[in-house]
Amino acid sequence: MGATTKLSWRVEGMDCASCVAKVTKAVERLPGVSAVEVNLMAERQTLELGDDGRAEAVEAQVASLGYATRRMAEAGSASAPPPGCDCGHGHGQDSPGDHTHDAAPPPAHGHDYDSPADAGKPWWRTGKAMLVWTLGALVLGAYALSLVLPERLTYPLFLIATLVALVPFGRRAIALARSGSPFSIETLMCTAAIGAAIIGAAEEAAVVVLLFAAGDLLENIAAGRARDGIRALATLMPRVALRLRADGTTEQVRADRLAVGDLVLVRPGDRVPCERVIENGASALDESPVTGESIPVSRGPGDAVMAGSINAEGAIRVRVTPAATDNTIARIIRMVEDATASRAPTQRFIERFSTWWTPGAMIVALLVIVIPPFALGWDWWTSIYRGLAVLLIACPCALVISVPAAMASGLSAGARRGLLIKGGAALETIGGARTVAFDKTGTLTEGRPRVTDVLPAEGRSAEAVLALAAAVEQGSSHPLAKAILAEATARGVDVPAAEAQAALPGRAVTGTVAGLRVSIGSPRHARESGAELGALAAALDRLEGEGKTVSVVLVDGAAAGLVALRDEPRADAAAGVAAITALGVRPVMLTGDNRRTGEAIAISLGLAAKAELLPDDKLREIAKLRDRGPVIMVGDGINDAPALAAASVGVAMGDGTDVALETEMPLCSRTA
């Protein structure tokens, strides 16, 4: 066997599984081509080319089907970024003093273009959209004129609309026939339209091709929006990083230009640009966008930090480990793409149906034309007319019209119940689901910590302890600080002024309140400070056993009280889980949060839990659940995107991230 070379192309314009099948089948027929893989969401075609194959022939074959191709820089690279993704520099700080993260504009307004000429255009100005507008204007104009003018004057307009649509669809049908798909849906529609025009039913033909063109456009828009969701993953990565020179000064470099071994400064408020290990410094890192951990976690020297997490407190210096193309966010992007590609490429029902029905209908129509003149004495015109009528009746045009109507009814019923359903496939698949997997943070819970308990030491009141804690937390943007200040406001507590406020990264916040040295921090900080908890020690163990984050308030070195916080379940979460269980469907929680918190929340809601799961762990759990039958995944965050893509049906909470909402998920709730 001769040597083969693995090559990859970006294929623009694919918008459904049918497109994938057409491209795959056409390319597989070429000499020297093997191991063809086409990924719809990544718009990537990968294949192995032998000595007798030519890359130019592959490009010409794909182009003949109406899809634009472009050779990818790293052929066959599994880490190649998705279309439009500048991995490693999506966005973030642009200057040393800028701690904001401005959103980049959505590429192509959510439209996935078919040709380079459409790049950057809004969807309503692309070639497919212009075809729909032209056909719509002709059909509506002809119908309006038919109300006041005789048919002989308006019929030509319907005929023109039919012929206009037949040009692009006919060219594609011919190209598909040449590439090995002679009975495609384009062939079906063109044959039906031509037959209708021949027997004088151009009105019906014009409406059918208009509906077909509109459906093609809507599929294109939906695919583009789904790809935009994958591209949005890159926005978790800052554009630039502060690399430390040997003399201790810093220089701005593009994040994707960082090399393994570089030392990088990450300041409070910055996003971590790549995977790395802390060399010195300590801080609390908000890892919720990646892991789902609801509370910032303390990290110090020797600890690993994840790309995309946010430095919430002190400055840290970190040593780069993997390259930008192998960080957490890049791996999530690849997992989303691989999950969508690994699912069995389900053809549209019409496409599968027409594979067998179209040739059969054509044969029957031909027999009706040829046999009756000899067997029944029909004249040839009558025979031709009736044969074409059989062909038109046999064409599943009713499905083209009735299926969208039926789906619209289902979609509107869901909308009345607070659901936005992205496709009819979800309505069919969800009925056979046996398991529902929930993310925790932001899905079953509110997505933000709040104070659950304030326990004062003997001789103090809960309000006094809360006032002291809120005083030293004033001005902090830490999620726990915000929760404490919100609780003080809710209880009507007067918060005194604090002086000399300071943060001990990953440990505590300190300050002076009315001459008293006050700190609020972790139990570890209290122990290191030599404080005796006394009767509060048992309460501390109990609260941590309930999955709560406990902060100890110290006044002049002595324990003054405990403040417990937790991301609490949504008010309707328990009822929702109970209703699902009553239907005979098994609910399970998949969370990146710590095991104690995850299990405590799960027990309170009445479902099983698997905790401390990274995105790839969730993906594996979904795969295990799918072995038992269809599985529904419910989530809202970046870390849920691969699992949502891999599930039989993905459900995104309406206040979730764009990536979750657009990651091949046919069902999403808008009343989260």
Side-chain angles (χ1 to χ4, degrees), residues 437-439 590 618 622 631-635 640 643-644 647 649-652:
F438 292 94
D439 174 49
L590 305 180
K618 287 188 178 183
I622 290 294
V631 58
I632 302 168
M633 174 66 192
V634 187
D640 302 320
L644 286 161
V649 176
V651 182

Side-chain angles (χ1 to χ4, degrees), residues 88-138:
H89 51 97
H91 68 250
Q93 64 273 21
D94 289 324
S95 63
D98 181 11
H99 297 292
T100 61
H101 304 279
D102 300 324
H109 300 267
H111 176 69
D112 213 27
Y113 49 87
D114 279 339
S115 67
D118 285 336
K121 292 182 180 179
W123 66 266
W124 45 270
R125 289 183 55 195
T126 58
K128 286 188 175 182
M130 297 308 295
L131 175 61
V132 172
W133 307 148
T134 301
L135 293 177
L138 288 171

Side-chain angles (χ1 to χ4, degrees), residues 268-289:
D270 287 352
R271 283 189 185 270
V272 179
C274 292
E275 303 292 87
R276 51 199 61 214
V277 174
I278 298 178
E279 189 143 301
N280 59 65
S283 183
L285 292 171
D286 179 5
E287 298 178 349
S288 59

